[in-house]
Amino acid sequence: MVSKFYTLDDLPYAFNALEPHMSEAQLRLHHDKHHAAYVNGANAIFERLDKARQAGMDIDMKATLKELSFQAGGHILHQLFWQNLAPAAKAVKEPGGVLAEALKNEFGSFERFKKEFSSAAASTEGSGWAALARCGLTGRLLIMQIEKHNVNVYPQLRILMVLDVWEHAYYLDYKNERPRFVEAFWNIVNWDVVNKRLEALIK
Ligand code: MN3
């Protein structure tokens, strides 16, 4: 049975597998502290909701749902992020399959896609994410610039790939130099996973 609460899964690779692009110390902190905090934060809100419902007590819906959207968004995006990264030794530099074709159709070339995605990631305001997503209505690929974990999200768009550009993702390795982290990200994308996410949507 599926748990009613979120769980912090182990990473699908060793903590040092993303080096030198993402250090073991950075990844441990990011996964074990920051990601864990969103899992615990979201679960605490679910517990509060469960208790209030059982007791028939009123809750501040506006504040609670705003907080839940942030905490749950944080957990879900990190889940997607860890899975769309690959050990540095195994990572390939360019996508294949239907993804390569879809990127070419939408952006003209893989290089153009990389340029647009990097620019979106570098310029996401404050803390946030860049995401590649697919619109089910048109089949078009869109880049999302997600602020925090939940702002500027398009309803129903399915996410194919995300890049975490919160400072907690890179400050040990790159200080405040986000564009250097974004550049390093391209060395550890798991294109196979991204391609499979797209395949699952179009078959
Ligand atoms: Mn993060």
Side-chain angles (χ1 to χ4, degrees):
M1 193 184 131
V2 175
S3 170
K4 288 180 74 182
F5 293 96
Y6 292 140
T7 54
L8 181 67
D9 293 341
D10 290 338
L11 293 172
Y13 34 72
F15 279 107
N16 64 1
L18 306 181
E19 292 188 339
H21 311 291
M22 198 184 290
S23 69
E24 175 171 354
Q26 180 76 75
L27 185 54
R28 273 191 190 279
L29 192 70
H30 194 175
H31 178 268
D32 292 357
K33 302 293 180 192
H34 293 286
H35 183 182
Y38 300 121
V39 173
N40 296 335
N43 286 341
I45 296 167
F46 286 128
E47 278 175 26
R48 280 213 310 272
L49 284 168
D50 288 348
K51 276 185 191 149
R53 286 165 186 165
Q54 282 157 17
M57 283 169 58
D58 285 341
I59 36 177
D60 181 341
M61 290 310 289
K62 186 178 174 184
T64 304
L65 296 184
K66 193 172 176 180
E67 178 70 3
L68 183 57
S69 161
F70 175 80
Q71 300 285 355
H75 169 55
I76 292 163
L77 286 168
H78 282 97
Q79 289 269 94
L80 291 168
F81 184 47
W82 306 136
Q83 289 161 15
N84 70 227
L85 297 179
K90 290 186 195 159
V92 294
K93 292 284 162 65
E94 290 200 23
V98 290
L99 177 64
E101 204 176 317
L103 288 171
K104 192 155 186 292
N105 283 343
E106 180 61 38
F107 297 95
S109 68
F110 176 63
E111 286 311 312
R112 174 73 194 190
F113 158 69
K114 261 179 83 170
K115 196 176 165 212
E116 287 192 20
F117 190 92
S118 291
S119 174
S123 63
T124 297
E125 200 163 61
S127 298
W129 301 75
L132 174 66
R134 180 178 182 273
C135 177
L137 299 179
T138 61
R140 291 190 74 146
L141 300 186
L142 278 79
I143 295 170
M144 280 197 268
Q145 205 177 37
I146 304 170
E147 292 172 17
K148 299 195 273 186
H149 298 308
N150 52 347
V151 180
N152 296 348
V153 174
Y154 296 72
Q156 288 198 322
L157 255 64
R158 295 293 293 273
I159 292 177
L160 304 173
M161 178 178 89
V162 286
L163 169 56
D164 189 341
V165 289
W166 280 59
E167 271 191 359
H168 71 219
Y170 60 85
Y171 64 96
L172 288 184
D173 292 342
Y174 301 96
K175 306 269 191 323
N176 61 338
E177 296 177 66
R178 190 194 287 179
R180 286 181 58 222
F181 171 60
V182 173
E183 197 51 42
F185 164 73
W186 296 114
N187 294 305
I188 47 171
V189 176
N190 192 327
W191 289 115
D192 189 41
V193 164
V194 183
N195 185 53
K196 284 197 173 101
R197 285 176 182 163
L198 178 59
E199 277 180 348
L201 294 180
I202 60 182
K203 72 180 176 194

